[in-house]
Amino acid sequence: KRPLDLSQDCDVLLDLVKQHPDIKLLIVDPITGVFGNKNINKNEEANPVFEKLIDFCEASGIAFVGVLHVPKRTTNSSIEKIAGGTAVAGRAKSAFMLSRDPDSEDKHEHVLTMVKWNYASNMDGIKYMTVPATASWKGKQTSTVVIEWGEVITEIADDVLAKQNSKSVEHD
């Protein structure tokens, strides 16, 4: 057994989804974990993997969501926060940033904003809150959170980063 490696496994994935046509979405968290021995920070190594992934998505009709956890470095450029830099950002058709709401002190208030929007005519973001909830499964209860969607905002991800960074300077 070994982890999923998109540089080798797209054909196997395609066979799998052909056997299960109800599968419509593939989410990988984090996307950096499925590049095998390829360096996601090097375009010449990452681009062939992205080509295979794009071919897989087109052949299968599957939507792909790759999750990245951004580094802590300070920048006002959301593209620069993406691990893999231009290799990842250049291949993505859309990219979103989920982060704490810079206008709130409540750790449960967040914003979803656009980083890249090739196919979107609207760049608006949206506020949301994570709210405690209880879920039941097979007779057992567990604590979790649900999302309460809030108001539409006009900021993009770079605007949110600039606000967050100016706040950290004020607090230093």
Side-chain angles (χ1 to χ4, degrees), residues 4-142:
L4 177 67
D5 179 347
L6 292 177
S7 68
Q8 301 175 38
D9 297 334
C10 284
D11 291 337
V12 173
L13 278 176
L14 187 56
D15 290 341
L16 178 69
V17 299
K18 284 180 180 176
Q19 294 170 26
H20 301 278
D22 54 325
I23 297 174
K24 300 295 180 198
L25 176 65
L26 174 62
I27 301 173
V28 175
D29 181 4
I31 190 175
T32 54
V34 294
F35 274 72
N37 64 355
K38 307 296 185 213
N39 185 339
I40 196 169
N41 294 303
K42 294 185 177 178
N43 287 353
E44 64 275 5
E45 292 185 31
N47 281 340
V49 179
F50 281 115
E51 286 297 323
K52 288 181 182 184
L53 178 60
I54 290 166
D55 291 345
F56 160 76
C57 290
E58 289 174 351
S60 65
I62 297 245
F64 179 84
V65 174
V67 177
L68 289 167
H69 302 272
V70 297
K72 301 263 187 244
R73 75 173 175 269
T74 301
T75 177
N76 288 345
S77 169
S78 53
I79 292 283
E80 288 178 13
K81 291 281 260 187
I82 296 175
T86 58
V88 175
R91 302 309 260 173
K93 302 301 180 202
S94 297
F96 305 89
M97 182 177 80
L98 289 81
S99 60
R100 296 268 302 268
D101 184 344
D103 297 325
S104 174
E105 296 298 321
D106 187 334
K107 69 179 183 175
H108 301 288
E109 293 188 5
H110 307 276
V111 292
L112 169 87
T113 51
M114 300 287 286
V115 173
K116 184 176 179 184
W117 51 92
N118 285 13
Y119 297 124
S121 59
N122 182 331
M123 303 176 303
D124 291 344
I126 190 166
K127 291 188 176 206
Y128 68 97
M129 285 187 67
T130 52
V131 179
T134 303
S136 298
W137 188 64
K138 292 187 177 183
K140 294 186 180 183
Q141 303 244 338
T142 187

